[in-house]
Amino acid sequence: MQTEYLSPTPDGIAAAATLLQNGKVVAIPTETVYGLAADALDPDAVTAIFAAKGRPMDNPLIVHIADIDDWPPLVKSIPDKAKKLAEAFWPGPLTIILPAANRIPLQTRGGLETVAVRFPADPIAQAVILHTGRPLAAPSANRSGAPSPTNATRVKEDMDGRIAAVLDGGESHVGVESTVIDMAHEPPRLLRPGGVTPEMIENVIGPIEIDPAVTHAMKTGDVAASPGMKYKHYAPKAQVYLVKGTAEQYIAYVNSHADKGVAALCFDEDAAFLQVISVSYGHRNDALEQAHRVFDALRQLDEQGATTVYAASPCPKGVGLAVYNRMIRAAAFRVINTIRVIGLTGPTGAGKSSVAALWSKAGIPVIDADAVAREVVQNDPECIRALTEVFTPSILNADGRPDRVALAKAAFATPQATEALNKITHPIITEKICRQLEDFADAGFPLAILDAPLLFESGTDRLCDEIVAVTAPVDVRLDRIKQRDGLDTERAMQRIHAQPSDEFYNRPHVNRLINDAQTLEQFEQKAAALLAEKGWL
Ligand code: TXA
Ligand code: MG
């Protein structure tokens, strides 16, 4: 097939419209990215889009309109909240999903009961739709899995010879695809972040849900709310790793991995400090610019011949959430977190919690591993399912959550039972801790504290760059436990004996903080001094 290249003149637009009326596929500019358009109500024309893209047929298309009156005939009905969103954000980068009218071909909606509709703001896109006189189905104009094109040259790279025409409208203004919100769901659910942010939407219609797949890999067995989520996406040929951390940590990481074929996808301010080939995608604090440049930057990395790309992670807030969503998929969810983790451990009564509180006051974020463990056992559906399978439903309360006493009785009955408990809970707890560490890195913290009494026993010591063990002579601990928990000497001693001895913490690379000072004040001075000495502030 010979692909025609059209200019956005009245003639070019008329030519594109004629091709579309004849069931052909034409790439058109929109304010988000270029779209591969065809008559949304013509099953054969829509099938040709899937063929040109190499897209799986179960991944539905967005239907584009250029007149608000063309919306009602495409859907069963329009609830109030959806109307409000359209009033606030159309024309613009927002796609609204509602139950589909019967006239929408199954091909267009990937066999689903719903249809996604968008009214683009780009005047050329609007002119083409109006001239054609039909709603136009249009996915992004890339080959399936590749970064979306934001100019006609990039469309040509993927589509030359595969479609009837490309209408060249210059650079797409937003740069990432529209925000997709499912209004057939209550509360409304954000399936794909874009130029219209969750905050902007909530200001108009109140609380919405963000689908977990926006920021995290789906687990095997999860059903995709949006079929597009389950496919590999936005990926250049190189293996991309998303590197989280401060600018200094990112630069240090890349420079210490400057092997052959390594390239950096960095922020503008990082480029001068990197010892590898780099492509930048905007200033660190300018999410709009990052959105505008990210897809082209991903394509440039291929042109540079990169085989491994370390990408500086964008802050997932506002429009940055859209950039993050594309980058984490380009990286196939491979994340490297360079935040420094200080493990804080020690037996009960030694003063570990005082140290955590003190360091937290100094501005270092703290993860309380015990709190994470409690939360997982009480609320994580995967964990509750596995525990019920091993320890029988007798451990559950009437509300379907584990009863702490019953679970403890079952799980600590034999060493084998305890091992089974740990095998279920430890991986889930570790995953949750890693997520919190990622959130801290996203928020710009250079280091975090992991407060974990069972740091070594749970294997979470492996997450730590440094470890501090707080211990104290038995008499000091005895006093503290008696006072803190209101126990008599015998019970307090029982607790102490149930815990590891001081020798347990004598390990290479463990910094010892011994609480044998006379007053709390003196001990706190010691803890503060360690912080300063290590340069952790
Ligand atoms: O900005 C955009 O939205 C661009 C321009 C061309 O308008 N289009 C675009 O289309 O990004 P596409 O096909 O690349 O992405 C549409 C996404 C896919 O992830 C698809 O699975 C999802 O929207 N989608 C479409 N209809 C859906 C539906 N009925 N239910 C759930 N997800 C749907
Ligand atoms: Mg796409």
Side-chain angles (χ1 to χ4, degrees), residues 30 32-35 53 55 59-62 64 95 97 112 114-116 118 138-140 176-178 180 191-192 225-229:
T30 87
T32 55
V33 300
Y34 273 65
K53 258 185 91 87
R55 176 170 175 132
N59 194 1
L61 307 179
I62 295 172
H64 296 68
T95 294
I97 294 175
L112 299 178
T114 53
V115 65
R118 170 161 117 80
S140 50
V176 292
E177 306 88 338
S178 61
V180 177
L191 300 184
R192 182 176 73 182
S226 176
M229 288 173 177

Side-chain angles (χ1 to χ4, degrees), residues 441-452:
D442 286 338
F445 289 107
L447 82 170
I449 290 162
L450 174 58
D451 173 355

